[in-house]
Amino acid sequence: MTDGVVRDQNGNLSKQIGKYKVSVIREKCIAAASCVAIAPGVFKLDEEQIATVISQDGNDDETKLLAAQSCPTAAIVVIDTTTGKQVWPLIE
Amino acid sequence: MPTLLPPKQYTAKLADKTVYNPKFERYSFELTEPNKLEFTAGQYVSMAITNEGHRRSWSIASSPEVDHGFELLIDPKPMGIGTKYLQNLKLGDEVKLLAPLGQFVIDDSGVEQAIVFVATGVGVTPFRAMILDLLQLKNDKREITLHWGLRHVEEMIWQDEFQELAQNYKNFHFHPVISKASPEWPLCRGRVTDCLSIHELPANAGYYLCGRETMIEDVTNLLTTKSVARERIHREKFY
């Protein structure tokens, strides 16, 4: 059981990468680009000015979740790959 | 596209609240930590509003010249959780936000020979910051026009400010458009597209649209028929 914290081989803390998988609901995207600003290693706007995932490992999980939470239209879905459960948006 | 700074986490305190009318409320925040915010006019903040991770975004209404705080303008009518969060704040309450965010900023390539802002309702917010920045900070000499659509003249705010700017800066023009205007209303009536249709729409201008999606689509279509290139039309949907 981990709390999302990982350590490198020397025991130093490093931020978790790869537990969260993100995807974009294209129809919801309004090109506000907060995801791009927060997690530029994961998101960019494509030719149609719609957010797209360029890499799941470009930023740590905490940053990916923050990018999803910052999306004004809840267009970014975050799945915890270890449980298969949707982390964001919250399922009410 | 100018170089935009990456966002940072901030804390700020509510310093002032002004209820202009049932349509608009202004919230002024003073930054706590860090105590300085650099942003480009047109950008927005993302504020944490619940402990579960919900956030809401609001365009910055104040000029970038004011870097120790920022102002937000909201339309409280939808009464979503963001509005309720702000309305429940007391003076001095602390908020957490990410800023600055967004790419809806003035094109700095030099291609746009004039600037036309088109807004409906609270969509005027980023344009106030842009207009103050262009006229007062950058001393921009291009023709700058604001077309602002509202339903009722009683909703209008900042008219004194915009009119004073128009008097002091001869290249700035303010065109309020009232859709449900009384017969006495002397200026543009109807939708912003109606007002735009009777004004010159130069193809070499940059057009910045902000507000309802239907307005943005209608104005985009109008501009396209006037041979304005799609790259000259910048859009920010409020919802």
Side-chain angles (χ1 to χ4, degrees):
Chain A
M1 176 76 173
T2 68
D3 57 359
V5 170
V6 294
R7 295 178 184 272
D8 63 21
Q9 58 189 11
N10 297 319
N12 299 314
L13 284 173
S14 64
K15 289 199 170 178
Q16 177 89 40
I17 290 180
K19 170 181 164 183
Y20 286 163
K21 182 177 178 182
V22 294
S23 58
V24 177
I25 304 172
R26 291 181 67 84
E27 313 81 72
K28 286 192 171 186
C29 181
I30 59 169
S34 55
C35 57
V36 177
I38 294 166
V42 175
F43 300 99
K44 74 165 190 178
L45 294 186
D46 66 15
E47 317 76 51
E48 296 176 50
Q49 294 297 290
I50 301 293
T52 188
V53 176
I54 54 175
S55 168
Q56 293 289 347
D57 300 326
N59 292 101
D60 61 73
D61 287 341
E62 182 183 339
T63 302
K64 287 158 71 173
L65 179 59
L66 183 60
Q69 291 169 337
S70 298
C71 176
T73 59
I76 299 174
V77 177
V78 181
I79 302 291
D80 183 333
T81 58
T82 63
T83 63
K85 292 190 174 169
Q86 182 170 307
V87 175
W88 195 267
L90 294 176
I91 297 175
E92 308 290 343
Chain B
M1 171 77 77
T3 301
L4 301 176
L5 294 172
K8 292 194 297 193
Q9 301 268 13
Y10 287 87
T11 55
K13 290 186 177 177
L14 180 66
D16 190 40
K17 171 182 172 178
T18 302
V19 177
Y20 288 113
N21 53 49
K23 176 73 175 173
F24 296 116
E25 297 176 0
R26 183 190 69 183
Y27 293 80
S28 302
F29 293 87
E30 281 294 310
L31 293 165
T32 310
E33 180 61 37
N35 62 3
K36 183 179 172 183
L37 168 63
E38 287 184 61
F39 69 98
T40 303
Q43 291 191 291
Y44 62 90
V45 305
S46 170
M47 194 175 289
I49 62 168
T50 72
N51 293 327
E52 289 75 30
H54 298 93
R55 309 183 73 88
R56 286 298 180 265
S57 302
W58 290 288
S59 290
I60 300 173
S62 43
S63 167
E65 184 177 33
V66 179
D67 61 5
H68 53 81
F70 59 92
E71 293 179 355
L72 307 178
L73 183 74
I74 70 159
D75 175 356
K77 192 175 179 184
M79 202 46 76
I81 60 173
T83 298
K84 290 176 185 172
Y85 174 80
L86 289 178
Q87 290 186 332
N88 285 335
L89 289 174
K90 302 180 204 49
L91 296 182
D93 279 354
E94 192 172 85
V95 298
K96 295 187 189 305
L97 58 134
L98 271 175
L101 293 166
Q103 301 181 352
F104 186 63
V105 298
I106 295 295
D107 182 297
D108 67 346
S109 66
V111 171
E112 297 173 354
Q113 301 300 302
I115 296 172
V116 178
F117 296 122
V118 185
T120 50
V122 73
V124 75
T125 307
F127 298 148
R128 178 173 181 265
M130 289 176 173
I131 289 165
L132 293 174
D133 186 50
L134 288 168
L135 295 177
Q136 296 178 335
L137 297 183
K138 295 189 165 64
N139 200 28
D140 201 302
K141 298 302 185 187
R142 291 175 288 182
E143 295 297 304
I144 299 168
T145 306
L146 169 63
H147 299 270
W148 185 18
L150 295 163
R151 280 206 179 93
H152 305 284
V153 67
E154 296 77 23
E155 294 172 347
M156 198 172 359
I157 61 171
W158 295 333
Q159 60 266 48
D160 292 342
E161 182 179 61
F162 287 137
Q163 286 166 356
E164 185 175 345
L165 285 169
Q167 284 182 341
N168 293 336
Y169 299 91
K170 296 307 178 189
N171 58 317
F172 174 62
H173 314 282
F174 175 46
H175 296 299
V177 188
I178 306 298
S179 62
K180 296 187 189 308
S182 67
E184 294 77 36
W185 175 249
L187 303 176
C188 277
R189 59 183 62 238
R191 296 171 182 268
V192 284
T193 41
D194 299 325
C195 184
L196 286 169
S197 298
I198 62 171
H199 284 93
E200 188 185 351
L201 300 173
N204 62 2
Y207 293 85
Y208 295 78
L209 319 180
C210 185
R212 290 194 316 272
E213 184 170 2
T214 50
M215 177 279 287
I216 288 177
E217 294 303 322
D218 289 345
V219 174
T220 299
N221 291 337
L222 172 65
L223 293 174
T224 303
T225 64
K226 301 287 186 183
S227 302
V228 175
R230 184 60 185 86
E231 309 85 69
R232 300 279 68 82
I233 304 172
H234 312 272
R235 297 144 42 119
E236 179 102 314
K237 291 177 193 173
F238 276 21
Y239 53 94

